[in-house]
Amino acid sequence: MKIERTEMRLQQLVLPVSALLLASCQQGGEADAGIPGDPDTAEATSSIGEAETVNFGGNEPFWGGEVSGTALIYTTPENPDGTAITVSRRTGLGGISWSGTMDDRAFMLAVSELSCSDGMSDRTYPLTATLQIGSEEARQGCAWTESKPYSGVE
């Protein structure tokens, strides 16, 4: 099926590409200092537990939601109640991705353990989110969990 092949390709690309893009935004240090995880191992790691709820969001355009287990809710200002998406979780080097299908398009959310600012608030988030919907929509945002909360203005 075309959607499954597209989803598989997105899964193979989103985490490595988002880690590289985010690493290029980091300042100072060694070339791979901004990439989370141990660069000398191929072992998948993440400090975000499978039972944790991950909240995520971004702006320009505004989007957000939460994922817990295999249930992801994706929200926009036009759809504040959100769209429920059944997802599968994969852990990679320094991050996690969730993939599913929304409106017959592949949906992939990747969360990396790199600090993030939304550019609009005085908050600092412990996680960076990269969202890919189909082949035409890519978005950057921030994420947090109860055990990894954001800091700054409530």
Side-chain angles (χ1 to χ4, degrees), residues 56-65 74-80 118-121 125 131 133 137 139-141:
F56 54 87
N59 50 48
E60 298 182 32
F62 290 99
W63 58 279
Y74 174 69
T75 62
T76 63
E78 298 78 27
N79 184 7
D118 62 15
M120 294 187 72
S121 69
Y125 297 86
L131 176 65
I133 303 173
E137 285 185 59
R139 299 179 179 178
Q140 297 292 317

Side-chain angles (χ1 to χ4, degrees), residues 35-153:
I35 299 174
D38 182 351
D40 296 326
T41 183
E43 183 179 327
T45 60
S46 176
S47 63
I48 300 169
E50 288 187 40
E52 284 189 86
T53 297
V54 177
N55 302 283
F56 54 87
N59 50 48
E60 298 182 32
F62 290 99
W63 58 279
E66 67 179 34
V67 59
S68 180
T70 61
L72 185 144
I73 303 294
Y74 174 69
T75 62
T76 63
E78 298 78 27
N79 184 7
D81 292 333
T83 299
I85 303 167
T86 300
V87 292
S88 59
R89 172 185 163 126
R90 289 193 173 66
T91 303
L93 290 176
I96 302 171
S97 68
W98 291 268
S99 61
T101 304
M102 181 178 78
D103 300 329
D104 293 324
R105 297 186 294 168
F107 183 100
M108 170 75 72
L109 174 70
V111 173
S112 300
E113 298 186 43
L114 296 169
S115 66
C116 178
S117 171
D118 62 15
M120 294 187 72
S121 69
D122 291 328
R123 295 179 185 167
T124 299
Y125 297 86
L127 307 166
T128 298
T130 303
L131 176 65
Q132 181 74 41
I133 303 173
S135 60
E136 65 279 357
E137 285 185 59
R139 299 179 179 178
Q140 297 292 317
C142 302
W144 70 99
T145 67
E146 187 175 311
S147 68
K148 294 179 176 295
Y150 60 81
S151 60
V153 178

